[in-house]
Amino acid sequence: STSTTHSLTAKSTTVTTETALKSAITNAVAGDIITVSGTIKLTSTLQLLKSGTSSAKINFTGGTLDCSGISSGWGVKLNGSYWNVTNMIIKNAPDCGLVLQSGGYNYIYKITATGNKDSGIQIYNGSHHNNVSNCYSAENYDTANGGENADGFACKLSAGAGNVFDSCTAYHNSDDGWDLY
């Protein structure tokens, strides 16, 4: 039988396919742990729209997100708040690899953003109080603009207050390693 009494109970889920990943992300509640096992090839932007709480973040960790199957747009868009996004490779997006577009109080740890067609990791549009720690952003190149826009790390275009980058490395990106415009 099914029960709705436990529908808001945090759970741990390991995913190996895009369908399972998007289902876990869409249904995420505060305290959930979503673990990517292996490599998942995305065919559309992964949107992290839900929010955890200050005492029970949503945890998204592990594996590789190969965004080469996305025809246009970002690899991962984080609009929610109170996420821990950790220990993951985000690569080959047709635009930025990971974008924190709104929301705040997210912890981005040990993310490698590489081979994306715009910036590896970008914070903008009011996103605030994010901690980006021990991340690596390299080999990002925007072919559409001859390399003009692909930064390693970008915190620009009306980013909110309190964003911190700690122990991050940008290497061999076609525009700036760091763009704080």
Side-chain angles (χ1 to χ4, degrees):
S1 70
T2 60
S3 170
T4 58
T5 56
H6 298 291
S7 63
L8 296 179
T9 301
K11 59 203 167 299
S12 181
T13 307
T14 299
V15 296
T16 58
T17 66
E18 181 180 29
T19 301
L21 172 59
K22 289 191 173 183
S23 176
I25 294 292
T26 298
N27 296 305
V29 298
D32 272 9
I33 302 169
I34 301 163
T35 304
V36 172
S37 178
T39 298
I40 294 178
K41 187 170 183 176
L42 297 177
T43 59
S44 63
T45 299
L46 182 64
Q47 300 191 53
L48 313 181
L49 305 177
K50 297 279 183 86
S51 291
T53 66
S54 59
S55 59
K57 288 190 172 189
I58 299 172
N59 302 281
F60 180 38
T61 188
T64 298
L65 299 179
D66 179 355
C67 305
S68 62
I70 301 173
S71 59
S72 66
W74 299 316
V76 179
K77 176 173 78 172
L78 175 49
N79 277 13
S81 296
Y82 298 108
W83 283 75
N84 291 324
V85 181
T86 63
N87 301 303
M88 183 180 296
I89 297 168
I90 300 172
K91 66 181 187 177
N92 304 327
D95 202 310
C96 296
L98 172 61
V99 171
L100 289 78
Q101 184 182 28
S102 60
Y105 305 103
N106 297 297
Y107 181 57
I108 311 302
Y109 177 74
K110 287 194 176 177
I111 299 299
T112 296
T114 187
N116 299 294
K117 301 294 186 277
D118 204 321
S119 298
I121 297 174
Q122 179 169 311
I123 299 172
Y124 83 114
N125 198 41
S127 188
H128 60 92
H129 297 95
N130 298 293
N131 184 325
V132 181
S133 180
N134 294 89
C135 292
Y136 183 77
S137 188
E139 305 295 333
N140 298 295
Y141 182 86
D142 61 314
T143 51
N145 295 301
E148 184 181 343
N149 298 317
D151 305 311
F153 298 93
C155 186
K156 59 186 183 181
L157 302 170
S158 304
N163 294 300
V164 174
F165 292 86
D166 179 40
S167 301
C168 293
T169 302
Y171 179 75
H172 205 246
N173 298 286
S174 65
D175 194 15
D176 304 302
W178 297 87
D179 189 342
L180 308 176
Y181 172 72

